[in-house]
Amino acid sequence: MKTMVRFLFNAKIYVWVLLLVILTFLGLFLAQSKLLKTAETSQSYLMVKSIQETNAQVFLNVGIQDVETKTTNTKIPWTKIGIPLTEKKALIILNYNAKLGIKTPAKITATGKNKYHIEIPNYEVIGIALDSKKPYVLYDSSGEILSDPTQNIDTGALVTTALSNTKQEKFLKQYQTQMDQSAKNYYTSLFKAVDPKLSLTFTFNH
């Protein structure tokens, strides 16, 4: 009987020792993992691809909220027929300014004493400036019940297309009158600051 009690007592000691060893190793492992995690670093690389001198002058900033949607589905192999209930949809809202103006210098010609003629070149899209607070919102991204095999919509490509200069060119004609007036105001202020008696005339290439 005494031998059995002694065996059980010793077994309990071994169990506690084993548990203590396990807990010690577990603590060391967690501490090491934390140290390794803390030591993580990140790097980014920036490469300048080109530098181009410009004489761009912005005459108009058009504030735009653009809603873009795109849908896709799985097609029956070797056809353009979509399979029902496989559609995926993405809807994004973009907030940005389209900068409109000229990228080449205006042609300035003296036409007499204190008289100058200013020829404004064709208007172009200077660039895009995203809203600093809320440039892009993925408003909806959903799929129908059988849409798992359908390829996900590339929202990055959708945003890039929406912000392309080509898409903003429609505003050049839409806001042509406002840009003409803005160009007149800009050059009038510029020249009158030198000599208030100067007389200016304008032509616009559009």
Side-chain angles (χ1 to χ4, degrees), residues 13-181:
I13 292 176
Y14 292 144
V15 170
W16 280 108
V17 170
L18 181 61
L19 285 173
L20 183 62
V21 171
I22 291 173
L23 290 173
T24 301
F25 275 105
L26 183 60
L28 288 173
F29 175 77
L30 291 174
Q32 186 178 14
S33 298
K34 188 175 181 181
L35 287 172
L36 288 173
K37 187 175 181 181
T38 305
E40 288 179 355
T41 58
S42 62
Q43 290 181 319
S44 63
Y45 299 91
L46 178 67
M47 181 175 67
V48 178
K49 296 181 68 176
S50 65
I51 298 175
Q52 182 179 6
E53 185 178 348
T54 66
N55 294 291
Q57 177 61 48
V58 176
F59 292 137
L60 209 63
N61 276 317
V62 183
I64 300 165
Q65 184 175 78
D66 186 12
V67 178
E68 295 284 335
T69 60
K70 186 174 182 179
T71 58
T72 186
N73 58 18
T74 299
K75 302 288 191 298
I76 297 174
W78 303 291
T79 74
K80 294 183 179 181
I81 302 172
I83 300 174
L85 302 179
T86 63
E87 185 177 273
K88 282 185 178 179
K89 178 178 70 173
L91 188 153
I92 59 174
I93 299 175
L94 298 164
N95 297 288
Y96 62 94
N97 287 331
K99 296 179 176 293
L100 312 178
I102 56 175
K103 290 184 178 180
T104 54
K107 184 178 179 180
I108 302 170
T109 307
T111 58
K113 185 178 179 181
N114 293 332
K115 292 182 179 180
Y116 292 88
H117 180 74
I118 301 175
E119 184 180 344
I120 307 295
N122 289 325
Y123 295 130
E124 299 181 66
V125 179
I126 306 298
I128 301 298
L130 287 168
D131 185 89
S132 58
K133 294 182 179 178
K134 219 173 203 181
Y136 164 89
V137 177
L138 179 59
Y139 185 78
D140 182 31
S141 180
S142 58
E144 294 181 319
I145 190 169
L146 301 178
S147 64
D148 281 349
T150 302
Q151 185 176 2
N152 291 328
I153 294 172
D154 188 347
T155 54
L158 189 58
V159 170
T160 300
T161 302
L163 296 177
S164 67
N165 281 3
T166 302
K167 186 161 185 180
Q168 314 312 318
E169 287 178 357
K170 61 184 178 182
F171 298 117
L172 296 175
K173 188 172 183 180
Q174 185 176 347
Y175 295 106
Q176 182 176 288
T177 302
Q178 289 93 323
M179 282 191 287
D180 287 350
Q181 188 59 52

